[in-house]
């Protein structure tokens, strides 16, 4: 009975969180709102070094004895690792935890993929963050001068925003999975994350051009390259 109630609660939060705007438009809004406050946003020098950016608008967190998180996100990478922002690949992000609280909330999640190895791992069907991919809470502000050694060496730097508060956040234990269904809806055919993010053989759809333009406004060019798989 408790599991049934949890399932109903979870689905109700999902219906609220994902109604209305498309995930691509929501992701665009999140980037604009976060980067529009430079003193409290993602450091520009880190964004310039990032190979990819992942955005999960309104990740749902819920708990009723057994808790967890679920969100649908967008991953955008640079052409060649240091060029223009390219076509997006859709994914889901989720995790489970045991707790004793009742309730739920929606949180925006943003993460930077800081090296080619991290990006290549994210084209797998499923990846557990913190186990198969190193992740750390990212620093906030105009620059990353105060970043710790752990942050500087992490494959992923992660952030969250809830009730207007933006800060570094841990994604340890979260499971990143390809959302093949959403990719098929966006591109009108079956396409893999590898084709989109690594091979670069998929054109950016019209619906994603606004997100690419927004990322370009804040970080027009990166500083890394990577070999194609």
């Amino acid at each position: 009975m408790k599991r049934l109630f949890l399932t109903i609660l979870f689905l109700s939060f999902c219906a609220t969180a994902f109604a209305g705007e498309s995930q691509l438009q929501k992701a665009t809004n999140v980037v604009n709102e976060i980067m529009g406050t430079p003193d409290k946003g993602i450091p520009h020098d880190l964004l310039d070094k990032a190979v990819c950016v992942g955005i999960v608008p309104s990740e749902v967190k819920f708990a009723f004895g057994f808790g967890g998180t679920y969100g649908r996100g967008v991953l955008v990478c640079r052409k060649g690792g240091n060029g223009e922002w390219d076509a997006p690949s859709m994914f889901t992000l989720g995790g489970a935890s045991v707790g004793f609280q009742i309730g739920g909330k929606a949180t925006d999640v943003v993460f930077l993929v800081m090296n080619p190895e991290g990006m290549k791992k994210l084209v797998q069907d499923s990846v557990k963050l913190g186990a198969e991919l190193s992740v750390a809470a990212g620093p906030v502000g105009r620059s990353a001068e105060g970043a710790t050694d752990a942050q500087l060496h992490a494959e992923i730097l992660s952030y969250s925003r809830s009730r207007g508060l933006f800060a570094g956040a841990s994604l340890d234990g979260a499971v990143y999975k390809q959302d093949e269904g959403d990719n098929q809806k966006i591109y009108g055919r079956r396409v893999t994350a590898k084709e989109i993010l690594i091979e670069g053989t998929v054109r950016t759809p019209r619906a994603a051009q606004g997100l690419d333009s927004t990322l370009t406004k804040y970080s027009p060019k990166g500083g890394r390259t990577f070999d194609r798989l």
Side-chain angles (χ1 to χ4, degrees), residues 197-221:
L197 303 174
I198 304 289
E199 296 175 358
T201 56
V202 181
R203 295 184 62 182
T204 302
R206 183 185 299 273
Q209 291 175 359
L211 177 57
D212 279 0
S213 296
T214 296
L215 288 170
T216 299
K217 178 171 67 173
Y218 297 110
S219 181
K221 189 175 182 181

Side-chain angles (χ1 to χ4, degrees), residues 62-76:
F62 59 97
F64 187 82
F66 179 87
T69 64
Y70 178 82
R72 291 165 51 226
V74 184
L75 184 69
V76 183

Side-chain angles (χ1 to χ4, degrees), residues 152-227:
L152 293 174
H153 290 88
E155 291 174 296
I156 284 182
L157 293 175
S158 56
Y159 300 85
S160 69
R161 184 183 65 164
S162 180
R163 298 184 178 90
L165 178 63
F166 182 72
S170 174
L171 291 180
D172 273 346
V175 177
Y176 174 105
K177 298 184 68 173
Q178 306 301 332
D179 193 335
E180 297 178 355
D182 264 9
N183 275 339
Q184 187 167 355
K185 290 178 183 177
I186 290 174
Y187 295 102
R189 61 186 176 89
R190 293 183 64 85
V191 61
T192 67
K194 181 178 178 181
E195 291 174 309
I196 299 168
L197 303 174
I198 304 289
E199 296 175 358
T201 56
V202 181
R203 295 184 62 182
T204 302
R206 183 185 299 273
Q209 291 175 359
L211 177 57
D212 279 0
S213 296
T214 296
L215 288 170
T216 299
K217 178 171 67 173
Y218 297 110
S219 181
K221 189 175 182 181
R224 295 171 182 260
T225 59
F226 64 88
D227 296 327

